[in-house]
Amino acid sequence: MQYPEPISKLIDSYMRLPGIGAKTATRLAFYTIDMDKDDVTAFAKSLVAAKEDLHYCSICGNITDEDPCSICRDKSRDQSTILVVEQPKDVMSIDRAQDYHGLYHVLHGVLSPIEGRGPEDLNIESLLKRLKTNTAVKEVIIATNATPEGEATAQYLARLIKPAGIKVTRLAHGLAVGSDIEYADQMTLMKAVEGRTEL
Ligand SMILES: [Zn+2]
């Protein structure tokens, strides 16, 4: 027996989410059908709002509903340091550790020859522009993940930035090779920021 079209469409939609297979998608679809109509409407609206009201900060590339984002607008933050991460969720992880009070820059990925991702596909151009126009920046901390691609990206950025006389450091201490910032606990992240080494 085939499901009525609205159900199979809903199952298909759930299956597009990461980590959700056919079985879970089917369970979620039937659960949704049983929900209050108001709850379903609110859920659908929050999906659309997340997509329509959020965009990338024109300065740092972080996800925000205002431009520039709250971090870039906050003049009480240390304007002399920019911490470079792969993804917006890394900003949340490091900022939650509360040991870092500088600025951020989100690359939206790492260099990956295998996946055909070069410097022009990352948010690098705007970082260089930022360093050129903002002379207050004295240090760039590169916090890409401890993967081969993350390392290669860190080295690449160091080569671009160091000639400008800006100190380039790398999170190293405490982060295991191959580990993701996203999954590191707060203590590990704090130690990683404190124990950064110069590139
Ligand atoms: Zn920003």
Side-chain angles (χ1 to χ4, degrees):
M1 181 209 135
Q2 280 206 326
Y3 292 125
E5 204 189 325
I7 300 181
S8 50
K9 269 191 169 167
L10 190 54
I11 293 171
D12 281 351
S13 298
Y14 277 125
M15 277 179 71
R16 280 193 210 120
L17 299 175
I20 302 213
K23 220 170 147 183
T24 307
T26 306
R27 193 164 54 86
L28 289 173
F30 279 96
Y31 180 83
T32 310
I33 294 162
D34 279 340
M35 280 165 71
D36 268 3
K37 197 173 174 211
D38 286 352
D39 289 343
V40 174
T41 306
F43 180 42
K45 276 188 178 158
S46 69
L47 286 175
V48 175
K51 202 61 207 168
E52 285 183 349
D53 299 344
L54 292 175
H55 34 254
Y56 296 133
C57 171
S58 60
I59 297 174
C60 71
N62 194 14
I63 253 174
T64 176
D65 56 351
E66 296 168 293
D67 193 22
C69 72
S70 59
I71 295 176
C72 288
R73 275 186 289 124
D74 185 353
K75 294 295 169 216
S76 73
R77 296 191 76 107
D78 175 9
Q79 307 288 313
S80 71
T81 315
I82 294 180
L83 192 142
V84 179
V85 293
E86 293 183 20
Q87 302 295 347
K89 53 183 186 277
D90 300 332
V91 174
M92 320 286 171
S93 303
I94 292 176
D95 224 53
R96 263 203 309 267
Q98 289 177 351
D99 196 44
Y100 177 74
H101 304 286
L103 305 171
Y104 290 92
H105 198 85
V106 184
L107 294 175
H108 295 283
V110 276
L111 298 174
S112 172
I114 297 168
E115 287 170 36
R117 211 172 318 109
E120 64 284 352
D121 300 312
L122 303 179
N123 193 24
I124 291 178
E125 186 88 33
S126 69
L127 173 63
L128 300 178
K129 210 174 106 192
R130 216 176 151 188
L131 296 176
K132 221 175 256 173
T133 51
N134 185 355
T135 49
V137 181
K138 302 287 176 248
E139 181 181 354
V140 173
I141 305 169
I142 303 182
T144 48
N145 290 325
T147 56
E149 293 84 2
E151 292 302 337
T153 308
Q155 295 297 338
Y156 176 83
L157 289 174
R159 276 200 304 276
L160 285 180
I161 298 167
K162 268 162 74 174
I166 297 165
K167 187 171 165 190
V168 182
T169 54
R170 172 95 177 103
L171 292 196
H173 184 77
L175 279 184
V177 171
S179 69
D180 276 11
I181 301 271
E182 188 187 354
Y183 302 116
D185 62 78
Q186 296 191 358
M187 187 53 101
T188 307
L189 283 174
M190 257 171 69
K191 284 200 174 134
V193 176
E194 280 168 14
R196 61 191 185 267
T197 49
E198 193 156 355
L199 279 176

